[in-house]
């Protein structure tokens, strides 16, 4: 069993930055692909970024390309999401998740989920 805990969310002005962290406990996540998802109020959950077990392969939603960077530190069992140039449309609850698949793009491909951290971007 893997427990995922996100942190780093908060309130930021448009144009600002935040770094989210997702720390795993219970088992190492070094062999898992990891993903960040977000869900805004009244909207469906969407994939933001994924990273494979080694960190050598990453994928991003078009809406965040060039602004967000996903990375991982397997020694710390932690995945990060660096978010720059934040916009009000980035406001959502952000979740990290773990998958045994390569480049998983759908929520059903993930087996472990965190509780989420809220990101609010003011205009």
């Amino acid at each position: 069993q893997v427990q995922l805990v996100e942190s780093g969310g908060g309130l930021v002005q448009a144009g600002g930055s935040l770094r989210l962290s997702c720390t795993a406990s219970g088992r190492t996540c070094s062999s898992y692909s990891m993903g960040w998802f977000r869900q805004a109020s009244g909207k469906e959950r969407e994939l933001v970024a994924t990273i494979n077990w080694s960190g050598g392969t990453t994928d991003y939603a078009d809406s965040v390309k060039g602004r967000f960077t996903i990375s991982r530190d397997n020694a710390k069992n932690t995945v990060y999401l660096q978010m720059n140039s934040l916009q009000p449309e980035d406001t959502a609850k952000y979740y990290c998740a773990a998958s045994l698949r390569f480049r998983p793009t759908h929520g059903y491909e993930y087996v472990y989920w965190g509780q989420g951290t809220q990101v609010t971007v003011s205009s």
Side-chain angles (χ1 to χ4, degrees):
Q1 190 75 5
V2 175
Q3 293 81 41
L4 302 175
V5 178
E6 302 94 336
S7 61
L11 174 64
V12 64
Q13 289 188 331
S17 298
L18 284 174
R19 187 176 82 155
L20 305 184
S21 299
C22 171
T23 301
S25 62
R27 287 181 60 182
T28 177
C29 271
S30 60
S31 60
Y32 288 78
S33 294
M34 300 296 293
W36 283 99
F37 289 77
R38 67 185 181 187
Q39 187 166 20
S41 180
K43 295 188 177 181
E44 292 188 355
R45 181 179 61 196
E46 64 172 341
L47 179 66
V48 175
T50 68
I51 188 167
N52 78 319
W53 69 273
S54 69
T57 301
T58 57
D59 291 294
Y60 297 92
D62 288 342
S63 58
V64 306
K65 279 181 184 176
R67 301 188 299 124
F68 290 13
T69 303
I70 188 171
S71 62
R72 67 190 299 161
D73 184 339
N74 285 339
K76 295 182 178 180
N77 241 6
T78 300
V79 179
Y80 305 97
L81 185 68
Q82 177 67 44
M83 305 186 295
N84 299 329
S85 302
L86 284 161
Q87 300 302 314
E89 51 265 35
D90 295 315
T91 294
K93 195 165 189 179
Y94 285 71
Y95 300 86
C96 72
S99 171
L100 288 171
R101 299 196 181 188
F102 179 66
R103 304 183 84 171
T105 57
H106 301 284
Y108 65 79
E109 297 180 282
Y110 290 80
V111 292
Y112 299 112
W113 291 83
Q115 294 299 307
T117 185
Q118 179 68 37
V119 171
T120 303
V121 185
S122 63
S123 57

